[in-house]
Amino acid sequence: MVKIKGGKHCLILRFRSAYPRSSRRSIGPIIGGHIISAVTGVITYTLFGLSWWSAVLGCAFSIVAMLLTKTTHPPGGATGLIAVWTQQSLSFIVAPVAIGAVILVIVGIITNNLSPRRNYPKYWI
């Protein structure tokens, strides 16, 4: 599941400049959305344990938290779900989530700026 999710991120990061006026041109929601979702998922698992409804709550709370903090990143909702479903601890927030999000952004910056016609990120936050 993580490999499929990572592939989607690479595709999103690579073609971000196709949306010139979109918030998708900002890296804040990528990193912030995943970290907030990971924190939300770990807290949900800690409070409610593992069940089908706690996994759903982990995803739902992640979406609400991203909306409240204006760091909405749709794949981030899956991060909250995965945190609950795989029974993660606080270390999940740092590795693989935060480190993985930073690596994805770095790769996106490098690959999108290879062409002089592209400018990524348009907005840093």
Side-chain angles (χ1 to χ4, degrees):
M1 184 183 305
V2 174
K3 187 174 183 177
I4 293 169
K5 186 176 172 200
K8 180 179 178 185
H9 279 289
C10 292
L11 183 66
I12 290 170
L13 286 170
R14 177 66 182 111
F15 294 102
R16 283 200 182 275
S17 59
Y19 306 98
R21 294 190 176 163
S22 172
S23 65
R24 294 179 176 188
R25 299 214 35 171
S26 170
I27 64 170
I30 297 170
I31 297 172
H34 279 296
I35 292 173
I36 287 168
S37 295
V39 169
T40 306
V42 169
I43 290 171
T44 302
Y45 170 69
T46 303
L47 293 176
F48 302 112
L50 177 63
S51 66
W52 67 268
W53 57 268
S54 63
V56 172
L57 284 177
C59 183
F61 290 157
S62 296
I63 292 168
V64 169
M66 287 188 291
L67 289 170
L68 291 174
T69 59
K70 297 185 189 318
T71 56
T72 305
H73 183 61
T79 303
L81 173 78
I82 290 169
V84 175
W85 197 254
T86 58
Q87 306 172 28
Q88 296 296 328
S89 64
L90 290 174
S91 64
F92 176 74
I93 298 165
V94 176
V97 174
I99 293 172
V102 169
I103 290 171
L104 284 168
V105 166
I106 290 170
V107 169
I109 289 170
I110 292 169
T111 60
N112 278 300
N113 289 310
L114 289 174
S115 170
R117 295 181 297 152
R118 295 190 142 178
N119 182 19
Y120 177 78
K122 180 79 172 173
Y123 311 104
W124 286 92
I125 297 177

